[in-house]
Amino acid sequence: MKTRIIGTGSCLPETVVTNDDLSKIMDTSDEWISSRTGIRARHLVKEETTSSMSIEAAKRAMENAGVTADEIDLIILGTVSPDYVTPACACEVQAAIGAKNAVAFDINAACSGFMFALNITNAYIQAGLYRTALILGAETLSKIIDWKDRGTCVLFGDGAGAAVVRGDEKYGMLSFDQGSDGVKGDVLACLNRTNNNPLVETDPMLSYVHMDGQEVYKFAVTTVPASLQKTIEAAGLTAEDIDYFALHQANIRIIQSVSKRLHISEEKFPISLDHCGNISAASVPILLDEMNRKGLLQPGMKIAMSGFGGGLTWASAVLEW
Ligand code: ACO
């Protein structure tokens, strides 16, 4: 039995904010942002929430897969920006779509969240515990970003992506790789509120995403090609056999570097970061959904996917579409 993606969906907030729009409210420019990152615009929430975008993405994925809510027995959602500490965003989705037979929970693996959800689902399916899963990556990063820090706020966006996954006899996941390096966690961090219980004398404060961009870049351009190579070999394939590489959309330079290191044309690396920015756990499923709806993905095609980010964490998978 293989773990196969049978449908995709996504939801972006209605409001688009271009680099030029940002340059009107902070000291930046389209030239600086696009030449260093490839990002030209991002969607930011006004009314939307992590849950509302997740619910919409889930409904679109279920419609695309032709699956009803009753058939879903597992919902895993990757996020670092849920609406609530509890209930989990996955439980909000479960309630809204009426998936009464499902077990639902969130995971935090930052930008690798969707890939971790896929690999966990694969383990459940291989173990015979569940058959049909809804997996999501969803973020409202605009609420955890310091809008006074032009070095980070221009990079991120909001949105949600979803996929319906099912055990399949013919096509599906061939291999995966997952890893974490907690020692380097501080290069990409967002601390929680400080504790102000009666025993602790600190001022309550909110913290925002803090990033050492150059360290993240070094981590990404070494770890991602190595993880992809390992996963492709484990599938009994070579990089040339892969039809598309669907990577976490952090930065065009990282994607170009991975393509160079694998000696594979950039044409095989579809992009959504130009109009979405970096949406952490949501970026891989949103990209997949865009590829799917453009008709790029045909049954049996070999797709390599990779997520990487805070933790530090990374995860790759090779699957037949
Ligand atoms: N507009 C204009 N100038 C800016 C901006 C901005 N938005 N942000 C920073 N600058 C200025 C800085 O103040 C600095 O000026 P100075 O030289 O006068 O001091 C200069 O630009 C260079 O700043 P750096 O922070 O050193 O910028 P760098 O060249 O490293 O580029 C970037 C930043 C694009 C983030 C880069 O480090 C990078 O590509 N990192 C890869 C990691 C990444 O993309 N992370 C995304 C999220 S993480 C993830 O998803 C895994």
Side-chain angles (χ1 to χ4, degrees), residues 1-3 74 117-127 165 173 175-176:
M1 186 71 75
K2 291 178 181 169
T3 299
L74 174 68
L118 177 64
N119 291 338
I120 294 168
T121 300
N122 179 50
Y124 275 128
I125 288 176
Q126 297 313 313
V165 176
M173 195 188 287
S175 58
F176 72 91

Side-chain angles (χ1 to χ4, degrees), residues 256-275:
Q256 287 166 340
S257 169
V258 174
S259 116
K260 223 175 248 166
R261 283 176 199 233
L262 294 178
H263 306 290
I264 297 297
S265 158
E266 270 181 56
E267 283 169 20
K268 284 193 174 185
F269 291 75
I271 295 296
S272 61
L273 60 79
D274 56 342
H275 59 279

